[in-house]
Amino acid sequence: MHPTRLVPKLLLALVLLIAAIPGAFAQDIEALVQALPEGGYSDREKVIFDLAATGDDRVAGLLEALGEGDFHVRKSDGRVVVARKAGDGYALADPLTGEDIGTAVSSELDKVRVNNRLRRAIGSAIGQLTLMSPKPAVRLRAARSLLSRADPDSLELLDTALAAETDADVRRVMETARAAAILETDAGFETKQEAVGTLAARGDREALAALRKAHSSAAPDLAPAIEDAIAGINHRLAMWENLQNVWYGLSLGSVLLLAAIGLAITFGVMGVINMAHGEFIILGAYTTFAVQEVIRTSFPGLFDYSLAIALPLAFLVAAAVGIAIERGVIRWLYGRPLETLLATWGLSLILQQAVRTIFGPNNREVGNPSWMSGAFDLGGLAITWNRMWIVVFAFAVFAVLLIVLNRTPLGLQMRAVTQNRRMASSMGIRTPWVDAMTFGLGSGIAGIAGVALSQIDNVSPNLGQSYIIDSFMVVVFGGVGNLWGTLVGAMTLGVVNKFLEPYAGAVLAKVLILVFIILFIQRRPRGLFALKGRAVDT
């Protein structure tokens, strides 16, 4: 045959051979599964490791079912099935695919029995299958499982896996798991002491659990080293726990800052006790919900940009409502704080009912974009992306507001009106216009706070009520009308609250903070940072 005619046939044969490989592997696995009931326990142990050697992803679940005693042989056709109790009988499934293949009663099935030796073999086989997986996440999960078990039988498998491991994080966990397993063997003192050092260097709760387990049966010469390692890990964990509380406090403080910073403007600058401030937060949260609903139904590819779209819209909606309320109601009540309190409380009820009428009384789902989902570890800290971005956002809003107040004509006029309203009016500043813009600015900032809060809290008509009291506490504690005081007050109250909660509980912690603020303002009525203005003139 001519060579040019031979090449296409060879290529065709090669393609057919490659296409047949998966089917051949599938047949091999099916044949091994059918061979499990045959012979004695030693024969089954060999089949278990042959199954693990295939490297098929389905084998791990298959072996777990075998170890749990769910493997049976159907007498009618000799087929190996997974049988789980269902009512008076058993629900049958294919061991490889999990496909439902009917039901049976116990008299129609023979159980594939396993003993402790086979269970150890199954554990080792699953470890081999997962520790040698091409996926780092699977290997990491398997290594952590072995670390929690501290099984001496896994040493050989761990040594094999370590020799081939290239991922630094997975390798570190494997080394720790190996050290934990060594402490459960009869290895020499120096080897065990080195293993103790490896666990102490890891310094997390898993290492602590392994050391405590080893300490219960440790030799007298090794016990002091284990005790020192346990003490060192406890000290490190306590330090990280305190840092975690600080992070939680800063996270809570950033939420309080966002909720209170708009109130610091309306209450501090204008002297208006705005009980409807929480409802402006609600407007921002529901604007975010409405934007996401439109994106979900019409432009699903833009979901990750939904917050960027919602931010300016939430600001405009809340600011517009705020200006309308200031022009329609509040401007007639300046200088009468009790009347403003009652009027804004009535307005808050009206706004809540309007939201219930439009959106319903139930919670509404506001999703997290992909870049705000999940979490990451920083040393011993667990940090969620949504909280981290809210902290960054809160400080960004604070910085922009400082620029507005200190570097723009509106900010200059607001400060002038704050310091001396009559003099500002005599200098040609339109104080009614400044009042409207100031109230609109504070309301708009509350609206964008609602965008942020929608990512960490339920969006409901009662959302604002959760933050109105905290917002007033932050403003009064930090100093009425002082933005830096609002920042310091929010962060201080957030951190203190998180350190009190483990000992006093969430409710009592808030009560203690409230009592502290009441006592504090008895000594400093103007708060941490006093600012001279219409509401605090002497």
Side-chain angles (χ1 to χ4, degrees), residues 347-411:
L347 288 169
S348 73
L349 297 179
I350 293 171
L351 290 173
Q352 282 185 41
Q353 190 56 47
V355 169
R356 285 191 180 91
T357 302
I358 298 171
F359 296 100
N362 298 325
N363 293 346
R364 292 295 184 172
E365 179 187 358
V366 176
N368 294 121
S370 60
W371 49 274
M372 287 188 74
S373 303
F376 65 96
D377 293 330
L378 182 63
L381 298 178
I383 299 175
T384 56
W385 283 107
N386 60 348
R387 288 280 184 175
M388 192 201 75
W389 283 116
I390 286 175
V391 171
V392 172
F393 179 68
F395 280 96
V397 170
F398 179 80
V400 170
L401 192 56
L402 278 181
I403 293 172
V404 169
L405 293 181
N406 295 312
R407 295 286 185 269
T408 65
L410 175 61

Side-chain angles (χ1 to χ4, degrees), residues 199-212 227-246 248 377-382 499 502-503:
L199 288 167
R202 179 173 175 85
D204 60 5
R205 297 190 185 278
E206 292 174 328
L208 181 62
L211 286 169
R212 284 175 173 166
E227 290 168 0
D228 290 342
I230 289 174
I233 292 177
N234 280 329
H235 177 74
R236 184 184 305 176
L237 289 176
M239 180 193 71
W240 281 115
E241 186 175 352
N242 287 331
L243 289 176
Q244 187 76 63
N245 281 336
V246 171
Y248 287 151
D377 293 330
L378 182 63
L381 298 178
F499 273 95
Y503 306 101

Side-chain angles (χ1 to χ4, degrees), residues 65 69-73 80-86 89-93 104 109:
D70 292 334
F71 264 53
H72 293 72
V73 178
V80 175
V81 297
V82 174
R84 294 186 172 92
K85 194 71 176 172
Y90 289 85
L92 306 183
L109 302 170

Side-chain angles (χ1 to χ4, degrees), residues 437-513:
M437 292 300 103
T438 301
F439 200 87
L441 177 63
S443 303
I445 292 172
I448 62 175
V451 177
L453 295 179
S454 69
Q455 299 299 297
I456 60 172
D457 210 337
N458 293 325
V459 176
S460 72
N462 299 320
L463 173 65
Q465 294 180 357
S466 305
Y467 295 97
I468 184 65
I469 302 301
D470 290 337
S471 298
F472 273 107
M473 286 198 299
V474 168
V475 172
V476 172
F477 176 64
V480 175
N482 191 303
L483 292 186
W484 286 104
T486 303
L487 173 65
V488 174
M491 296 303 164
T492 301
L493 294 183
V495 172
V496 170
N497 189 75
K498 286 301 177 182
F499 273 95
L500 285 176
E501 278 184 4
Y503 306 101
V507 175
L508 184 56
K510 285 186 177 293
V511 172
L512 291 175
I513 290 174

